Amino acid sequence: MDKIEEMKKLIAQINKHNHNYYDLDAPTISDAEYDKLYYRLIDLEKETGKVLPNSPSLRVGGNILEGFKKREHPKKLYSLNKVRDEKDLFAWVKDMKDVHPAMTFSVEYKFDGLHLVIEYDNGEFVSATTRGNGYVGEDVSAQVKTIRSVPLQILFKGHLFVEGEGMMTNHALKIYNRNAEEKLKNARNAAAGAIRNLDPKETAKRNLDFFCYAVLQAEGKKFDTQQSLHNFLFDNGFLTGDYFKVVSTAEDVMKEINAIDKRKAGLDILIDGVVVSINEIAYRDEIGWTTKFPKWAMAYKFEAEEISTVLENVVWQVGRTGKVTPIAILQPVELAGATVQKATLNNFDDIVRKQVSIGSRVFVRRSNEVIPEVLGLAEKAEDAKEIEEISICPCCGHKLVKKGPLLYCTNHDGCFDQIEGRITHFASRDAFNIEGLSEKTVSTLITELGVKNPSDLYKLSKEDFLTLENFKDKKSDNLKKSIEKSKKIELFRFIFALGIGEVGIKTARDIANHFSSLQAIKNAKLREIENISDIGPVIAKNVFDYFKDDENLKEIQNLLDVGVEIQNPKQRDFSSPIAGKKFVLTGTLPTLSRGQATEIILENGGEVAGSVSKNTDYVLLGESPGSKYTKALQLNIKIISEQDLFEMVKKD
């Protein structure tokens, strides 16, 4: 096949995928696969010196959907060209430096949300429009006005159009899903779906944010640099993210990119790369634009976190609470630095909603190092096999019970997978922290020594361990000592170890601090549990029901009878200088772990938050800090060291 024919074939493929993505909202390949086709076309256009009339390299975006009023943008919206690796980035920087050696570069997050243009006049919000095809977008003014971080009034009085991304933070997604009947799967789709919902009330429920990064047009206002533009946006009340740097060399640009890549998993927002621009506006005007993108800016995209692959089978997995979850067995695929072969499908209703089937191609996402998830159908195979809901436990053969969309095995004491899951969780680091008690060892203890409940662990002797294969004297002695050592445990870790549905380590700590004793938790009324900050009705009901179950209470008593000693939370010192102060931790501290530092702050009446805001009093700084440090500087929040913390809580 000659190069022109290959170009024609690629154009047909890419235009088909553009139609599926932009017009139908039904993509059939991942971003990474699309980029591979697109870059091949670009390479061929460079090699041949020809750009065919229908090439997607001449276009921006797609057509407008019906259902929203159309609104024309004041100026054309451009895409960003992408660099594929460090070599391409260095080549681009060299090209720019050849024009003006003294130029600098701004480095910012590439937000992964829904592109919006917001209009202001005389300091008042006028309209909000989606990107659309780059010339005309959809009027989503009513929806965007519900976003609290979109200012309805600003200081600047000229006619202004700004660009940014409508986004849902990971924290907002977690809060929404806590009590939602239908859980949202990821923050990006949640934001796009909310803004493109015709009912603004539904948009408001998702607590979106708007992160602003560009000025499309500003009446009577000129900017010398991207930094001055960034400051202008911040001064007018727009969120701009907690990261912005200006550097001079390609090496410095790459250093920043690598640092962001390492810490992106810990961010509260989704980013899919970094935007690098010439900082000086005058140089931009000189360098100019192509028909599709500015020559003076580049997007360095991180490794793909979403891709498509074939769903080969579905197996059903039994968890420690008895919940039975469908797991997708995938054709192995490289994703975000790992080979992915399995992904969660949540429940059977989720399978039906996503229309996935065995043999079909599906989208898979792996984000923030968590278990990969099947997002939905990419393309259905002709010989696809429908997935059937099971009715019998795949582990013990017990009949399953359906509660809402979820399946449960109620054979609590006779289902091996449940027993193994409960004891493994009980022994985990954040719970009883029994060193040497791996999942494999737990399995052996169940099958060989008849262990069924966590309390049974404390009844085992060193001689019992010596009867097991590969257990010699030292190994047996160490495991017995580790089990004995675990008997003294803090109340919040004890609560976490019980494995109550939806109760993580933070929630367990909140419960322990609120009630201060196990007996108080046992006696608590449902409303008392619901009144704890950040605990919704679903989790509260799980906790309440757990402590009303006779079998659960019997096992708790068994643990106490074998010598488990629960240490109640220390009395919090609200006379301390830091009482009532809000702290945020970032980086690695010299001597304290995050947990230890948190305990010191809480014991002295302080509070610990996960993100920096204007309500933060102190940021406790360690080595290699993340974006929280940058935001603290922007908001002029006091930065303290570990030693400063020690001085602040020092007792006379």
Side-chain angles (χ1 to χ4, degrees):
M1 183 188 301
D2 66 26
K3 291 180 179 179
I4 298 297
E5 286 301 313
E6 186 180 354
M7 287 166 63
K8 289 179 179 178
K9 184 177 179 182
L10 284 168
I11 288 168
Q13 286 180 277
I14 294 168
N15 283 338
K16 174 190 172 185
H17 293 309
N18 280 340
H19 174 68
N20 291 341
Y21 185 90
Y22 291 106
D23 300 334
L24 303 181
D25 257 355
T28 55
I29 61 171
S30 68
D31 287 353
E33 291 165 302
Y34 178 94
D35 286 346
K36 187 175 179 181
L37 296 173
Y38 184 83
Y39 283 129
R40 176 57 183 161
L41 175 61
I42 297 301
D43 289 341
L44 287 171
E45 288 179 347
K46 289 177 181 177
E47 290 172 23
T48 62
K50 292 181 180 290
V51 178
L52 299 178
N54 62 337
S55 172
S57 65
L58 298 174
R59 298 188 58 218
V60 180
N63 296 323
I64 306 303
L65 295 174
E66 296 299 324
F68 287 91
K69 179 183 175 183
K70 297 177 183 178
R71 184 181 290 274
E72 190 173 341
H73 298 304
K75 293 167 65 175
K76 176 184 175 181
L77 305 184
Y78 287 87
S79 296
L80 282 175
N81 199 13
K82 300 167 190 170
V83 290
R84 288 175 260 188
D85 50 36
E86 184 174 327
K87 179 183 175 183
D88 284 350
L89 175 69
F90 273 59
W92 175 78
V93 171
K94 181 181 182 302
D95 288 344
M96 299 300 103
K97 286 280 193 177
D98 285 345
V99 179
H100 283 287
M103 72 171 52
T104 58
F105 301 93
S106 63
V107 185
E108 304 175 66
Y109 292 148
K110 186 176 183 298
F111 299 108
D112 191 8
L114 184 70
H115 191 140
L116 296 170
V117 174
I118 301 183
E119 178 186 7
Y120 291 84
D121 196 23
N122 195 31
E124 302 284 339
F125 176 96
V126 175
S127 68
T129 311
T130 62
R131 177 191 183 86
N133 62 10
Y135 297 95
V136 178
E138 300 164 345
D139 187 332
V140 288
S141 302
Q143 289 81 355
V144 169
K145 283 175 75 173
T146 70
I147 301 175
R148 287 176 292 179
S149 54
V150 171
L152 298 181
Q153 292 182 321
I154 59 173
L155 296 174
F156 183 71
K157 301 305 178 186
H159 201 183
L160 176 71
F161 291 85
V162 298
E163 291 182 79
E165 302 281 316
M167 302 183 71
M168 191 177 200
T169 65
N170 293 322
H171 180 69
L173 178 67
K174 183 178 179 181
I175 295 297
Y176 180 91
N177 279 343
R178 186 171 290 163
N179 297 300
E181 290 185 12
E182 185 172 339
K183 311 290 186 188
L184 300 173
K185 302 309 173 191
N186 63 71
R188 189 198 183 283
N189 290 352
I195 292 170
R196 299 181 73 182
N197 193 306
L198 290 171
D199 183 0
K201 291 179 182 177
E202 291 301 314
T203 311
K205 289 178 182 178
R206 298 194 184 180
N207 291 319
L208 303 185
D209 277 305
F210 174 72
F211 290 88
C212 196
Y213 51 75
V215 172
L216 186 62
Q217 185 173 294
E219 181 184 15
K221 180 72 176 177
K222 296 290 184 182
F223 301 99
D224 296 329
T225 62
Q226 178 68 15
Q227 189 163 31
S228 65
L229 185 152
H230 181 89
N231 292 339
F232 168 82
L233 294 171
F234 186 80
D235 291 342
N236 276 277
F238 294 100
L239 293 180
T240 55
D242 53 13
Y243 174 86
F244 182 91
K245 287 284 182 71
V246 175
V247 297
S248 301
T249 67
E251 289 79 9
D252 287 340
V253 171
M254 203 63 225
K255 182 180 177 182
E256 293 300 320
I257 289 172
N258 289 334
I260 294 168
D261 193 16
K262 287 179 182 177
R263 66 172 181 256
K264 70 178 187 295
L267 297 177
D268 196 28
I269 54 173
L270 295 181
I271 63 172
D272 59 359
V274 174
V275 176
V276 184
S277 309
I278 293 174
N279 186 40
E280 295 81 10
I281 304 297
Y283 295 160
R284 296 180 181 183
D285 294 338
E286 184 177 343
I287 289 169
W289 291 257
T290 69
T291 56
K292 183 174 173 64
F293 50 78
K295 296 178 183 178
W296 44 261
M298 281 287 182
Y300 188 102
K301 292 199 74 174
F302 294 134
E303 194 172 5
E305 292 185 335
E306 182 179 316
I307 202 163
S308 65
T309 187
V310 175
L311 174 60
E312 295 185 333
N313 197 10
V314 170
V315 297
W316 296 79
Q317 188 176 80
V318 186
R320 58 185 167 82
T321 63
K323 184 168 73 172
V324 183
T325 306
I327 303 296
I329 306 300
L330 306 168
Q331 189 176 86
V333 62
E334 290 298 315
L335 180 60
T339 300
V340 174
Q341 295 178 280
K342 294 181 180 180
T344 182
L345 277 164
N346 297 304
N347 55 64
F348 187 72
D349 288 6
D350 196 43
I351 291 171
V352 173
R353 183 168 55 252
K354 291 173 177 175
Q355 299 181 315
V356 296
S357 51
I358 295 170
S360 291
R361 182 168 285 271
V362 297
F363 285 115
V364 182
R365 185 174 182 88
R366 180 175 181 258
S367 181
N368 294 349
E369 305 299 324
V370 298
I371 300 169
E373 179 187 6
V374 173
L375 297 179
L377 181 69
E379 200 163 12
K380 189 167 185 175
E382 290 184 7
D383 59 347
K385 180 183 175 184
E386 296 304 316
I387 301 163
E388 296 181 0
E389 186 174 31
I390 63 172
S391 59
I392 301 296
C393 177
C395 175
C396 67
H398 200 75
K399 188 174 180 179
L400 298 178
V401 174
K402 193 161 188 178
K403 300 177 183 178
L406 304 176
L407 289 171
Y408 285 90
C409 172
T410 57
N411 187 17
H412 186 76
D413 296 320
C415 183
F416 181 91
D417 287 352
Q418 289 187 61
I419 298 169
E420 182 184 65
R422 287 197 302 273
I423 296 175
T424 301
H425 174 78
F426 178 90
S428 65
R429 186 172 63 178
D430 285 336
F432 273 70
N433 191 23
I434 303 177
E435 295 180 16
L437 196 56
S438 65
E439 186 174 326
K440 183 179 178 182
T441 300
V442 169
S443 178
T444 302
L445 298 184
I446 296 169
T447 54
E448 301 296 324
L449 298 179
V451 170
K452 284 192 174 183
N453 296 298
S455 59
D456 295 336
L457 296 172
Y458 298 95
K459 301 171 186 175
L460 299 174
S461 66
K462 177 182 174 181
E463 287 67 31
D464 289 325
F465 297 135
L466 286 170
T467 66
L468 303 175
E469 187 177 357
N470 297 323
F471 268 76
K472 304 299 182 186
D473 187 78
K474 186 175 181 181
K475 186 175 181 179
S476 299
D477 190 50
N478 287 343
L479 182 53
K480 179 60 181 174
K481 286 179 179 178
S482 183
I483 292 172
E484 287 300 310
K485 182 183 175 182
S486 74
K487 283 183 177 180
K488 289 187 177 182
I489 187 169
E490 295 161 289
L491 177 59
F492 79 95
R493 296 189 188 279
F494 182 87
I495 295 167
F496 176 69
L498 296 177
I500 304 169
E502 308 292 332
V503 174
I505 192 69
K506 180 186 180 301
T507 301
R509 189 193 296 273
D510 291 342
I511 293 169
N513 287 337
H514 183 85
F515 290 107
S516 298
S517 73
L518 179 62
Q519 192 58 45
I521 299 170
K522 286 182 181 179
N523 296 337
K525 295 179 181 178
L526 180 59
R527 183 170 293 180
E528 289 180 273
I529 304 172
E530 289 177 339
N531 286 338
I532 301 174
S533 178
D534 287 339
I535 293 184
V538 172
I539 296 177
K541 186 72 163 54
N542 288 348
V543 174
F544 180 79
D545 289 347
Y546 185 91
F547 287 100
K548 292 296 176 282
D549 184 281
D550 289 339
E551 289 300 316
N552 293 335
L553 293 175
K554 180 180 177 183
E555 174 59 12
I556 289 172
Q557 188 58 50
N558 288 340
L559 287 167
L560 298 177
D561 290 343
V562 294
V564 169
E565 298 178 22
I566 300 173
Q567 299 170 339
N568 294 332
K570 294 179 182 178
Q571 191 69 31
R572 299 182 70 187
D573 181 8
F574 290 102
S575 66
S576 164
I578 70 168
K581 302 297 184 182
K582 291 182 171 60
F583 289 75
V584 171
L585 282 58
T586 183
T588 303
L589 298 171
T591 65
L592 297 175
S593 68
R594 287 286 186 95
Q596 289 169 329
T598 297
E599 286 300 315
I600 290 173
I601 293 167
L602 293 177
E603 286 171 11
N604 285 275
E607 303 293 336
V608 177
S611 58
V612 177
S613 73
K614 62 182 180 181
N615 296 320
T616 304
D617 294 297
Y618 300 102
V619 168
L620 178 56
L621 182 69
E623 290 185 17
S624 303
S627 56
K628 297 170 187 175
Y629 173 58
T630 308
K631 187 166 186 180
L633 292 176
Q634 287 180 338
L635 296 177
N636 200 30
I637 290 165
K638 187 171 179 61
I639 310 293
I640 64 170
S641 67
E642 180 183 276
Q643 188 58 41
D644 292 330
L645 177 64
F646 290 149
E647 291 295 326
M648 294 166 78
V649 300
K650 185 185 291 183
K651 302 294 190 295
D652 294 330

